[in-house]
Amino acid sequence: MTSICTAFILSKTEIITNAHCVDDAPYVHVVAEFSDTVGSIELVDKDYKLNDQSEVVTAYGYGVLNNIGPLILRRCDANYISDVEPANTFNISQTLYFTTGEATNDGEIIAHGDSGGPVVSKINGKIVGITMGIYGTTGGRGMFLPITLFLDFIHDPKSVKPIPPPLTPNEAKFIADITVPGKFLTAYKNELAHADENFQLEFNAIILSKTEILTCAYSVIGAPYVYVTVNKLSRNATKLKVTEDQIEIHEKYALSRFAFNVAKITLGEPLEFNDNVGSIDLVDKDYKMDDPSEMVTVYGDMVSDGTMRTRRYDTKYLDGAKCKPKYGAAFDANHLMCYTLDGSMGTPFTFGGPMISKKNNKLVGITIFHSGGKPVIFQPIAPLLDWIRKPKMRRNQRRRIA
């Protein structure tokens, strides 16, 4: 079976096209030859901004109209637009759309075979994008990716590290997502003076059992209630309201320190476990994190290219003594450890998220804090097992937090 895409010439040895045109293909045929009519074209600079929607662009491609041909190079002048509601499979922060405009494509701006073709600015004659498909049915808006997003990759493919794949349902089954409504963290009232009833912060959490959730203490302390979203990666997500009396803060936690920054939430009704929702095994009480070569996987939300999504990150953990100089007196090296995070991964919002050992596939830690440029702090799980497994204390039994 043969599939035809468009491509454009970057140099005498390099061409650019869409990944979906060549992915999994055992081989491809490239039809090109430099001549008076065949050559390369300039790309816009990395700081080029498509912000004038009156700017006209021209899309080129070998698309076959109405699936009947003929196979000839066509072009279409159009204005681009970026405020179209995206389909679920497309990322609005990375995809720009262009309208059908005044087309030479018989009303179709994009046809089968146009994928990978260049989108050229009529202002400077340089390539500003690469065609990727059509939004909607035949005759709908064409879509292109701004070329500036890929200039680093184009100029040096090895300099760009791959984005980790999204979690599969089984990998994410032990993750819950917590949304904390207004009146958040009364102890930090001065710091969050702008908070109101509509103010919300989101954290990760871990499913311990059908009725228990583990998360960071500072994500729930002082909140009159929180929402726990279970099965966050599924369309069948369940949102549960949890009141303050269902939340237990570790008795050794203090706002001035990072250690024991954990809270246990007891749900009013049991979760329904399925292929996407479930708990994960915890390490034993005598488990020691003393092998610096051991790899662990951290799960949680991270922001990359302006988009937050659940990601995973493989790393090695560091002894607490190596982290203390970075954080000072608030860091308790006797109870805490840390790990480094590659900046190319994005900004971590993994707080409350699980750390899984790649050696035994069990929960070994919970991420509790991160400050830019410093290692990410996590609390080992083994020292918490007695507290995690003991029955929930009644409200009048709890010691006041220092």
Side-chain angles (χ1 to χ4, degrees):
M1 179 178 177
T2 301
S3 178
I4 296 175
C5 281
T6 304
F8 57 89
I9 298 172
L10 190 64
S11 69
K12 289 187 175 183
T13 59
E14 297 173 307
I15 64 171
I16 299 291
T17 190
N18 281 154
H20 70 255
C21 295
V22 295
D23 187 32
D24 292 332
Y27 58 88
V28 296
H29 289 291
V30 177
V31 181
E33 181 180 352
F34 266 71
S35 65
D36 292 340
T37 58
V38 178
S40 60
I41 191 170
E42 287 189 78
L43 310 180
V44 290
D45 297 328
K46 190 173 181 179
D47 59 356
Y48 183 82
K49 301 294 184 184
L50 278 162
N51 52 20
D52 181 2
Q53 293 193 3
S54 66
E55 180 178 348
V56 178
V57 294
T58 303
Y60 296 86
Y62 281 93
V64 179
L65 297 182
N66 302 316
N67 294 318
I68 58 175
L71 186 66
I72 59 174
L73 181 65
R74 300 175 184 271
R75 68 182 182 189
C76 173
D77 291 345
N79 298 102
Y80 68 86
I81 184 170
S82 61
D83 59 355
V84 181
E85 181 180 354
N88 291 335
T89 53
F90 294 107
N91 180 352
I92 191 66
S93 70
Q94 294 185 1
T95 308
L96 293 174
Y97 302 77
F98 46 104
T99 65
T100 51
E102 295 297 325
T104 58
N105 264 15
D106 299 335
E108 290 188 52
I109 193 169
I110 292 295
H112 179 69
D114 284 336
S115 291
V119 178
V120 180
S121 168
K122 292 185 74 70
I123 293 178
N124 56 34
K126 297 181 179 181
I127 292 180
V128 298
I130 179 171
T131 300
M132 66 169 293
I134 190 167
Y135 179 72
T137 57
T138 299
R141 289 188 171 100
M143 294 188 297
F144 73 91
L145 293 170
I147 203 68
T148 53
L149 294 176
F150 308 101
L151 289 180
D152 287 343
F153 170 78
I154 289 172
H155 297 313
D156 184 7
K158 294 182 179 180
S159 69
V160 179
K161 296 183 179 180
I163 297 176
L167 303 183
T168 65
N170 284 335
E171 289 172 328
K173 70 179 182 178
F174 48 88
I175 297 181
D177 186 50
I178 287 184
T179 300
V180 184
K183 298 181 181 177
F184 174 71
L185 289 183
T186 53
Y188 291 166
K189 188 173 181 179
N190 292 334
E191 179 181 345
L192 299 176
H194 60 286
D196 56 29
E197 290 298 327
N198 296 318
F199 182 72
Q200 293 186 350
L201 291 179
E202 295 186 357
F203 295 84
N204 296 279
I206 305 163
I207 300 174
L208 295 174
S209 69
K210 289 187 176 182
T211 57
E212 291 179 312
I213 301 289
L214 187 70
T215 189
C216 294
Y218 67 66
S219 67
V220 292
I221 189 172
Y225 57 90
V226 300
Y227 285 108
V228 177
T229 305
V230 183
N231 203 8
K232 61 178 290 187
L233 300 184
S234 168
R235 295 178 181 177
N236 301 318
T238 301
K239 196 169 188 178
L240 306 174
K241 185 175 181 179
V242 175
T243 55
E244 191 175 11
D245 63 324
Q246 296 172 261
I247 302 171
E248 181 177 0
I249 309 298
H250 196 288
E251 60 267 20
K252 293 184 179 181
Y253 173 60
L255 288 172
S256 60
R257 300 190 299 273
F258 297 121
F260 301 102
N261 182 1
V262 291
K264 185 168 58 175
I265 296 175
T266 302
L267 303 177
E269 55 187 75
L271 300 173
E272 292 185 8
F273 282 4
N274 54 44
D275 289 342
N276 300 318
V277 178
S279 59
I280 192 166
D281 290 336
L282 310 183
V283 290
D284 298 329
K285 187 177 178 179
D286 59 356
Y287 182 81
K288 303 293 184 182
M289 300 188 76
D290 54 8
D291 180 2
S293 67
E294 182 179 348
M295 295 294 295
V296 292
T297 303
V298 180
Y299 297 87
D301 289 339
M302 297 187 194
V303 177
S304 180
D305 297 325
T307 304
M308 179 181 286
R309 70 174 189 177
T310 303
R311 301 174 185 268
R312 60 186 173 193
Y313 178 69
D314 290 345
T315 185
K316 295 179 182 178
Y317 54 81
L318 303 175
D319 183 86
K322 297 181 179 180
C323 311
K324 188 173 179 62
K326 301 288 186 179
Y327 284 100
F331 187 92
D332 184 349
N334 294 321
H335 297 99
L336 297 172
M337 302 181 76
C338 61
Y339 60 88
T340 56
L341 186 70
D342 187 341
S344 67
M345 290 287 299
T347 304
F349 285 82
T350 55
F351 312 139
M355 171 186 284
I356 308 299
S357 170
K358 294 183 75 70
K359 181 170 62 177
N360 55 32
N361 201 35
K362 293 183 179 182
L363 183 71
V364 295
I366 176 173
T367 300
I368 60 174
F369 188 77
H370 174 261
S371 181
K374 298 179 180 180
V376 183
I377 300 174
F378 74 91
Q379 172 77 57
I381 286 292
L384 303 177
L385 290 182
D386 286 343
W387 178 80
I388 288 174
R389 289 167 176 163
K390 75 179 180 180
K392 179 178 179 293
M393 288 188 296
R394 294 192 300 272
R395 189 175 182 82
N396 59 9
Q397 290 180 310
R398 300 181 190 174
R399 192 179 75 180
R400 291 181 62 83
I401 302 299

